[in-house]
Amino acid sequence: WLKECFLDLQNAFVAFDGSMLISAIVGLIDEKTGVLYFYSAEHPFLVLYRDGIALFIGQKISLPKIGNPLIGNFSILTFQLEPGDTIIIGSDGKDDLVISDQAGKKEINFDENLFLEYVKKNDASIPEIVGDIEKTGKITDDLSLLKISYHKQQEMLEGETGHGADIAQIKALMKEGKDQMTATMEVMR
């Protein structure tokens, strides 16, 4: 599916003969296993926030920008998420800030690690991260942030006591009870 998605986008943008290129990260998360499958077409790196630490993942560009006629080999990157992990995807605007503008001379932030500090400081809260970005300098490019948190689905039912019971255990007990009931019914006949 990821490859077909890329090819559909590529075919649409390659028609512009290189005059319109886009960067992108496109991915899928397997909800049961937590595996993230994605490709990066020259997009800023994904940020992983785990246990109070923010770091870049996917620091490998798997493809050139979409629309570039020289696409090379298509490759899918993978990353194993753990329950509680948060992924933040952000556009260049998160980094491209005018931090000083004196006498017509603009100083632009080029430190992409500054964003990691904001993610960590604000516990991956998007509104607070944006607030820190705006306090740091003037945004010069589009700013888009997407936050995805992974919480492994657990097949648990809560009883009145608040203790969880595993679905597999419940099913086994129900089957055992059904088998016992069937056996009892056969004896009664």
Side-chain angles (χ1 to χ4, degrees):
W1 183 88
L2 286 173
K3 186 172 185 178
E4 287 177 17
C5 176
F6 170 76
L7 292 174
D8 287 346
L9 289 168
Q10 175 68 6
N11 290 335
F13 280 89
V14 81
F16 293 103
D17 293 325
S19 65
M20 186 179 291
L21 305 174
I22 61 168
S23 66
I25 288 182
V26 179
L28 297 169
I29 297 174
D30 184 321
E31 293 176 349
K32 291 182 181 175
T33 65
V35 176
L36 167 63
Y37 301 91
F38 67 102
Y39 63 83
S40 174
E42 290 189 35
H43 195 275
F45 304 128
L46 295 172
V47 173
L48 169 69
Y49 182 68
R50 176 187 286 168
D51 299 327
I53 298 169
L55 52 97
F56 292 115
I57 60 170
Q59 293 178 319
K60 177 181 174 189
I61 303 296
S62 53
L63 295 164
K65 287 186 177 182
I66 296 171
N68 185 329
L70 306 172
I71 61 171
N73 293 326
F74 182 86
S75 63
I76 294 176
L77 306 173
T78 61
F79 184 81
Q80 179 64 57
L81 296 171
E82 295 178 5
D85 282 355
T86 296
I87 297 290
I88 297 180
I89 305 166
S91 62
D92 290 333
K94 68 184 179 17
D95 302 314
D96 299 343
L97 309 170
V98 175
I99 53 177
S100 173
D101 190 358
Q102 297 178 354
K105 188 174 181 180
K106 294 181 181 181
E107 183 182 347
I108 306 288
N109 171 60
F110 290 107
D111 181 8
E112 61 188 17
N113 291 315
L114 186 59
F115 184 73
L116 293 178
E117 291 176 31
Y118 294 155
V119 171
K120 180 179 176 180
K121 173 186 167 198
N122 295 300
D123 198 30
S125 168
I126 297 292
E128 293 177 31
I129 293 168
V130 171
D132 276 352
I133 289 171
E134 291 173 336
K135 288 177 196 171
T136 300
K138 181 180 176 189
I139 298 171
T140 62
D141 201 347
D142 69 294
L143 175 60
S144 304
L145 298 174
L146 174 65
K147 175 180 174 179
I148 301 168
S149 296
Y150 174 67
H151 303 282
K152 187 173 183 174
Q153 294 179 347
Q154 295 186 10
E155 293 191 23
M156 301 289 282
L157 291 179
E158 292 289 327
E160 288 182 27
T161 61
H163 297 290
D166 186 283
I167 293 286
Q169 284 180 309
I170 293 171
K171 287 179 180 177
L173 289 171
M174 288 173 65
K175 182 180 182 332
E176 183 180 300
K178 182 179 176 185
D179 290 346
Q180 287 177 355
M181 183 178 275
T182 303
T184 304
M185 287 174 63
E186 287 177 10
V187 170
M188 289 174 41
R189 288 185 190 166

